[in-house]
Amino acid sequence: MAASAQENSGINRFGLSEVHPPRTAPANVDIIFVHGLNGDPHRTWTSQHTKIFWPAQLLPPVLEEENARVLVYGYDSEVTSFTDGVSKDKIHNHAEGLVAALAANRRLRKATERPIIFIAHSLGGLVVKRALIYSSEIRGPKTEHLRSIFVSTFGILFLGTPHKGSDMAQWGSRLEWICNAVMPKKIVDSQPQLIEALKSNNETLQNIDRQFIQLMSKYHIYFFHEAKPTDVKGTFRYIVEEESASPNVQDVERAGIQADHSHMCKFESDSSPGFDLVAEGIQRYAEEAPATIKTRWIQERKSSEAQKQAAIEEIMPGK
């Protein structure tokens, strides 16, 4: 499936692909789509019935005045890529890759300070969270270009991302349900060790949740939850319950989409349930982002200069 997506759409399976250019160059904002577990940068966002790839076919007309550039990001999203292996934190590896790819793509286009809006489905939201945590912690002069992703991000729309795990057991069960929802049944049944490995990684996921809370006030955030259950081995259940996907957080928007977990990120047309909610959120963020991010970069430069002066004072007092 991954190969066909690449052949048919011209979208790279891994890394960034621009799927819609701005109306006039340069763009005013970058909109980045990040898929989740067992996802694909084309298939995740494409209706199985109408074959509509909504980031390129339905969203651009909504963003005509905002002059946005739309990109999708692909990465190795098989279950093994979310579990412990050579690295103890594979999600961090994905996050580093996302930050590096975005920083390079934008720097080559002289667009380091351009606002960013993320749209993430399911566990892709955890990759985005971890990417922003990683970018926010960068302070070294030789890697400060990677900090630009943290500074430039204006908003995030999370579609069915698990945010709130009240205990380890809940995280484990939720991850198992996500696997059942997005993976072929024969793989789930034949490779139970992969599911167990993902469940054992839930402490990493909870740490991401806790760390991101410290950054939330910087961003405009919109939580979306699935409003239809998924048939999992003959039992209908919500893969990521409303309380986890759309927790009640002050000054954060939340809404339900009348679709199950796998289909809440696929719109057959601009009249599909949930499309107006998601598209309006993206459009509003794209409209508001430039002024806010411009101010944030002014503050960032002042802060950076103050830190450099403080470092000089420490080395050479009185200078």
Side-chain angles (χ1 to χ4, degrees):
M1 176 63 81
S4 64
Q6 185 172 353
E7 292 166 6
N8 295 337
S9 66
I11 293 172
N12 297 323
R13 175 66 185 87
F14 302 121
L16 286 167
S17 299
E18 182 178 305
V19 298
H20 188 79
R23 178 170 44 84
T24 57
N28 293 338
V29 60
D30 281 344
I31 296 173
I32 321 293
F33 285 78
V34 181
H35 63 78
L37 183 69
N38 203 45
D40 175 278
H42 185 266
R43 175 168 43 88
T44 290
W45 314 104
T46 301
S47 165
Q48 296 169 333
H49 300 297
T50 63
K51 306 304 178 185
I52 290 290
F53 175 56
W54 73 273
Q57 294 173 270
L58 300 181
L59 185 59
V62 177
L63 300 172
E64 189 71 23
E65 294 183 13
E66 285 66 40
N67 198 37
R69 186 172 68 131
V70 183
L71 304 97
V72 293
Y73 181 71
Y75 59 97
D76 181 3
S77 59
E78 294 181 2
V79 175
T80 50
S81 76
F82 275 89
T83 58
D84 289 346
V86 177
S87 167
K88 290 187 176 181
D89 186 354
K90 290 290 187 73
I91 291 181
H92 180 69
N93 292 353
H94 296 321
E96 283 186 326
L98 173 58
V99 169
L102 265 177
N105 179 284
R106 287 155 54 85
R107 188 172 178 81
L108 285 171
R109 290 159 180 78
K110 312 297 183 187
T112 299
E113 298 183 12
R114 182 185 295 161
I116 297 171
I117 297 167
F118 286 106
I119 297 92
H121 176 240
S122 194
L123 296 189
L126 301 182
V127 174
V128 170
K129 284 183 176 183
R130 191 68 187 88
L132 292 171
I133 293 166
Y134 164 63
S135 180
S136 74
E137 294 171 345
I138 292 172
R139 287 291 183 182
K142 296 176 183 176
T143 54
E144 63 182 359
H145 62 287
L146 299 174
R147 183 174 166 82
S148 66
I149 306 307
F150 161 71
V151 180
S152 293
T153 297
F154 177 84
I156 313 143
L157 292 87
F158 292 104
L159 280 64
T161 294
H163 298 287
K164 198 175 177 182
S166 60
D167 57 50
M168 293 296 189
Q170 272 197 345
W171 267 110
S173 297
R174 188 171 291 119
L175 294 170
E176 184 173 10
W177 296 344
I178 291 174
C179 286
N180 279 297
V182 302
M183 293 173 59
K185 184 176 183 298
K186 62 181 180 181
I187 294 179
V188 175
D189 291 345
S190 65
Q191 301 186 52
Q193 73 277 10
L194 293 180
I195 312 302
E196 289 303 314
L198 183 62
K199 288 166 68 176
S200 70
N201 209 28
N202 52 28
E203 186 172 0
T204 295
L205 306 186
Q206 283 204 323
N207 288 337
I208 292 173
D209 196 42
R210 284 193 291 266
Q211 288 178 283
F212 187 72
I213 289 173
Q214 309 302 316
L215 304 181
M216 282 185 65
S217 62
K218 280 192 169 293
Y219 304 127
H220 286 63
I221 292 175
Y222 208 145
F223 292 144
F224 292 91
H225 58 271
E226 61 212 64
K228 287 188 175 180
T230 298
D231 183 353
V232 179
K233 298 181 179 180
T235 301
F236 283 88
R237 61 160 45 108
Y238 292 99
I239 303 303
V240 182
E241 305 94 328
E242 179 180 344
E243 65 178 18
S244 177
S246 297
N248 279 306
V249 178
Q250 186 175 0
D251 208 26
V252 170
E253 298 177 88
R254 57 195 302 276
I257 294 178
Q258 290 296 321
D260 64 23
H261 186 75
S262 294
H263 294 91
M264 68 184 302
C265 54
K266 300 172 173 66
F267 298 116
E268 297 183 2
S269 71
D270 57 9
S271 60
S272 294
F275 176 77
D276 278 356
L277 285 170
V278 175
E280 186 278 330
I282 297 171
Q283 188 275 334
R284 176 159 40 86
Y285 288 2
E287 180 182 336
E288 297 174 358
T292 298
I293 298 304
K294 181 179 180 181
T295 301
R296 191 181 296 168
W297 270 106
I298 292 172
Q299 296 169 343
E300 177 71 10
R301 282 190 288 272
K302 287 181 179 178
S303 174
S304 178
E305 187 59 32
Q307 288 179 350
K308 289 175 183 177
Q309 288 298 324
I312 292 173
E313 278 287 332
E314 189 173 337
I315 297 170
M316 297 182 292
K319 291 291 183 181

